[in-house]
Structure formats: structure tokens, C-alpha cells
């Protein structure tokens, strides 16, 4: 059944907007070529989108041609401002961007363990408020928040989790109160890192993969057939609780000690390094475990002429760490067969290609399922990047949608 004229116009407008978002400013002729629409149809949609305030003249094409240069049309980036938050147990980072995702302001604030819930929430909300002001944003259209812990799939709220500060759960409501018009979305930090790696990083072009988060905590994000899988209770990927060999006991419903976390979490990595005599001084606020892994990689790397021979202690440390990571990775591979694993989190990033290659070598021996292991390429900003992408997608879905009649 053919689309009605109004439906066809809405489809054409949305197609043009997404092209402008992906390609940047385009002339009417370029829009005609990319969409396959007729010249009059393109002229009509440009006029509609300009009148609606979504598109503006962004310059001229500059082509050598007879007569005046063609106008370039681009999305009005200032039509909406977005915010992204990365909420950690030790602090908050925030950035504010325009509708196209261009970062206009960034800031962070540490929050001490002994800070009360009320003061901690005030610090975090004040950070967002100052960043929005610096970006020139009178209001925020959408806010993406990444946080550790379980997100209730039904309500979209952070669930009570042992080991996480109370101010985490209070923060969402406080941000909503400060910015009552904003659309706020909360997502697990590991899931956001996976979305960012899929869009712009190590998993680009992959519809199916698993991201392993190796840091202070342990987790995984599962993307199957292009869709992020959260599970019935929002707990898909909670592999810190996965029972593995080499631990003195079993994890419980409230404590992952005895699970995969006990052999691959930051505390376990630090203890393993001490056993092998590997030492390092952390750079800035990074976990000590990440500094130890980075130093071990440096000592083991002879490809750049840094050392005449690998440091045996660093090699043994990295080998045993890879053995441990492969335990959890093999369980994931055997159940999901993702074809690709991304090692992320502070420890995964510090291990880089050196650790990823060791884990892949072990998986090849342990499993008949071919699996490529890649290190994260987005660094420490993956969670913020994922939160911004979700906020931007939410804002564009709403603003680019046809008006309700």
C-alpha cells in the first residue's frame, strides 16, 4: 500500500536529516544525488526543514561553476544541548554537547568516600549545572548517564546494589529536578562503553561481540545481531559472579568474592603483580592495577627497542594474568560464540595489544570457536562517549520525527 503524501514527506525529511548528520552540510544537488529524490521534492523538504528550525544555510559549496555558488544546508546544531555523565564510586565526569555531538564543555569532580549523600549529590549536580552554563546551554534536551550496577529494565532506574554509594541512586532524581525538561536515560557503564566501541572504536562494523570490562570491577556487555542484550533483570554480563577455578569458595547473591572477580579484578591483579615482583607508580587517578599492567607491557615490549630482552618477571605476570582472563572469556565464548571480544576498562586498556594477543592465544587452545580479541581503542572516555551517543540518538529521534497531527 503506497504511503500517504504526509507519510512520504516525513520519511524524506528524516532521510535528509540523517544524511546531514552523517555527512555534514550538503547542497540541494548533493541531497538529490544521495537520496534519489527529484529536484522539486528536495527543494520542498529543504524549505520545510528550514522553516521548522532544524536546517539552516551553513555556507556555500565553493565549486567553480557559472553563476552563484550553491548553498550548503546543515543541521542547526544549537537546536538542542545534550549532557553525558560518567558516574563512578570516586567521582563524576560530565560533558555537554550540541545536537551534532560536538563537545562544548567538559568537567569532573572527585567525591570522597566519607562525603555524605546530600553533599555528594549537590557536588555532582552542581558540576552539570556549571558545565551547561559554560557551554551556553539555557536548558538540556537529553541527558545520558552511565553508572555501575544493575539498571531495572522496566523502570530504567538504578537498583539497590551493595558496595555502591547511596548518592548514585539519588543523583538521577536530583538531575531531573534541576533540569525538569530534560529527557534522562540511565545505562550500565559497561553497556555504554560497548555501544561507543561499536560506533567509533574497536568493535566498529561488528554486529555481534562481547566487551569485557576489566577494572576495579568486572563486567561484560553483550551485543548480539546489533542489539545490546540486558537480560530480564538487567544483569546480563555480570560475570564477576561467574564461578571459576582457583578461588577458595563460591560467590553469593550479594558478594562476588569467590567468582571471576576474585581472580581478575583490580585487587587480584595487584596481588598477582606483587607475587611476580612487578612494581609501578600510578599515573593520575588510574587504579594501581592498571599502572602495574602498563609497566609490565612496557618491560615485555622489545619491538620498539626499549629493552634488549623481555623482562622475565613481567612476562610471567602477563602470562598468568592472561590465563585468568581466559577463564571468564572462555565461558562467554562457549555460550555466546560472539566471534569478537573487546578488552576494556582500565586494566584492559593498559594491557593493550600485548595482553589481548595473550588472551586470544589461550582461547584458541581452549575453544574450537574462532574468536578475535581486541583491546579498547577509545581509552578512558568510552563511557562518556556512549552516554553522549545515547543522549544524541534520543534527541535526534524526537526532533527529527514528524510533528503529531
Amino acid at each position: 500500500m503506497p504511503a500517504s503524501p504526509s507519510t512520504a514527506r516525513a520519511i524524506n525529511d528524516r532521510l535528509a536529516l540523517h544524511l546531514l548528520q552523517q555527512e555534514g552540510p550538503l547542497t540541494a544537488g548533493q541531497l538529490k544525488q544521495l537520496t534519489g529524490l527529484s529536484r522539486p521534492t528536495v527543494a520542498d523538504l529543504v524549505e520545510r526543514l528550514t522553516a521548522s528550525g532544524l536546517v539552516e544555510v551553513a555556507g556555500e559549496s565553493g565549486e567553480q561553476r557559472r553563476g552563484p555558488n550553491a548553498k550548503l544546508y546543515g543541521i542547526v546544531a544549537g537546536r538542542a544541548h545534550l549532557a553525558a555523565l560518567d558516574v563512578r564510586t570516586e567521582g563524576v565526569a560530565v560533558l555537554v554537547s550540541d545536537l551534532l555531538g560536538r563537545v562544548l564543555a567538559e568537567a569532573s569532580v572527585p567525591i570522597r568516600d566519607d562525603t555524605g549523600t546530600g553533599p555528594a549529590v549537590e557536588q555532582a549536580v552542581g558540576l552539570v549545572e556549571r558545565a551547561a552554563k559554560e557551554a551556553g546551554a539555557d536548558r538540556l534536551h537529553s541527558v545520558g548517564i552511565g553508572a555501575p550496577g544493575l539498571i531495572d529494565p522496566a523502570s530504567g532506574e538504578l537498583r539497590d546494589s551493595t558496595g555502591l554509594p547511596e548518592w548514585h541512586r539519588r543523583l538521577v532524581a536530583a538531575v531531573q529536578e534541576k533540569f525538569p525538561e530534560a529527557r534522562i536515560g540511565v545505562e550500565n557503564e559497561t553497556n555504554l562503553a560497548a555501544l561507543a566501541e561499536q560506533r567509533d572504536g574497536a568493535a566498529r562494523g561488528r554486529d555481534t561481540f562481547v566487551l569485557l570490562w576489566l577494572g576495579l570491577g568486572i563486567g561484560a556487555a553483550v551485543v548480539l545481531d546489533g542489539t545490546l542484550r540486558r537480560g530480564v533483570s538487567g544483569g546480563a554480563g555480570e560475570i564477576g559472579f561467574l564461578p571459576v577455578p582457583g578461588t577458595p569458595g563460591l560467590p553469593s547473591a550479594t558478594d562476588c568474592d569467590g567468582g571471576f572477580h576474585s581472580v581478575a579484578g583490580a585487587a587480584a591483579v595487584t596481588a598477582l603483580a606483587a607475587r611476580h615482583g612487578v612494581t609501578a607508580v600510578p599515573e593520575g587517578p588510574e587504579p594501581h592495577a592498571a599502572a602495574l599492567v602498563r609497566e609490565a607491557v612496557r618491560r615485555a615490549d622489545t619491538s620498539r627497542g626499549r629493552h634488549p630482552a623481555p623482562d622475565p618477571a613481567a612476562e610471567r605476570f602477563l602470562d598468568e594474568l592472561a590465563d585468568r582472563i581466559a577463564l571468564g572469556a572462555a565461558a562467554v565464548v562457549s555460550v555466546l560464540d560472539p566471534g569478537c571480544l573487546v578488552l576494556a576498562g582500565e586494566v584492559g586498556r593498559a594491557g593493550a595489544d600485548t595482553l589481548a594477543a595473550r588472551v586470544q592465544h589461550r582461547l584458541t587452545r581452549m575453544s574450537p570457536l574462532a574468536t578475535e580479541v581486541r583491546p579498547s581503542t577509545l581509552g578512558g572516555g568510552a563511557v562518556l562517549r556512549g552516554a553522549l551517543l545515547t543522549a544524541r540518538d534520543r534527541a535526534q529521534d524526537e526532533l527529527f520525527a514528524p510533528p503529531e497531527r
Side-chain angles (χ1 to χ4, degrees), residues 335-357:
V335 174
L336 298 176
D337 187 18
C340 178
L341 291 176
V342 176
L343 302 187
E346 297 88 351
V347 169
R349 293 195 306 271
D353 291 314
T354 300
L355 183 59

Side-chain angles (χ1 to χ4, degrees), residues 134-320:
E134 181 184 340
D138 296 328
R139 56 185 291 268
L140 295 176
H141 182 284
S142 298
V143 179
I145 300 176
L150 297 178
I151 312 297
D152 190 313
S155 66
E157 296 179 351
L158 274 169
R159 294 171 54 185
D160 282 319
S161 300
T162 57
L164 295 178
E166 175 64 22
W167 65 265
H168 278 203
R169 298 190 71 248
R170 301 276 186 88
L171 179 59
V172 177
V175 172
Q176 187 72 80
E177 183 178 356
K178 177 61 67 174
F179 301 96
E181 298 178 347
R183 290 77 168 164
I184 296 179
V186 186
E187 183 60 85
N188 174 268
E189 60 179 354
T190 305
N191 288 344
L192 288 178
L195 293 176
E197 294 285 356
Q198 184 183 35
R199 191 82 64 91
D200 300 320
R204 191 167 185 174
R206 301 284 313 201
D207 286 335
T208 296
F209 70 98
V210 170
L211 180 139
L212 294 183
W213 185 274
L214 306 171
L216 292 175
I218 296 289
V222 179
V223 177
L224 302 178
D225 300 323
T227 302
L228 178 68
R229 307 294 181 176
R230 297 175 176 84
V232 173
S233 63
E238 288 292 326
I239 61 170
F241 289 87
L242 179 74
V244 294
T247 60
L250 291 172
S252 69
T254 58
D255 192 346
C256 57
D257 283 347
F260 185 47
H261 174 85
S262 293
V263 297
V269 173
T270 300
L272 179 64
R275 197 153 52 98
H276 287 286
V278 176
T279 60
V281 177
E283 299 176 3
E286 72 174 353
H288 189 202
L292 291 165
V293 172
R294 184 176 293 105
E295 176 63 16
V297 168
R298 187 185 70 82
R299 293 186 194 177
D301 183 7
T302 61
S303 63
R304 300 180 184 178
R306 294 174 178 173
H307 305 282
D311 181 332
E315 292 267 281
R316 288 192 297 271
F317 166 62
L318 291 173
D319 284 340
E320 187 169 347

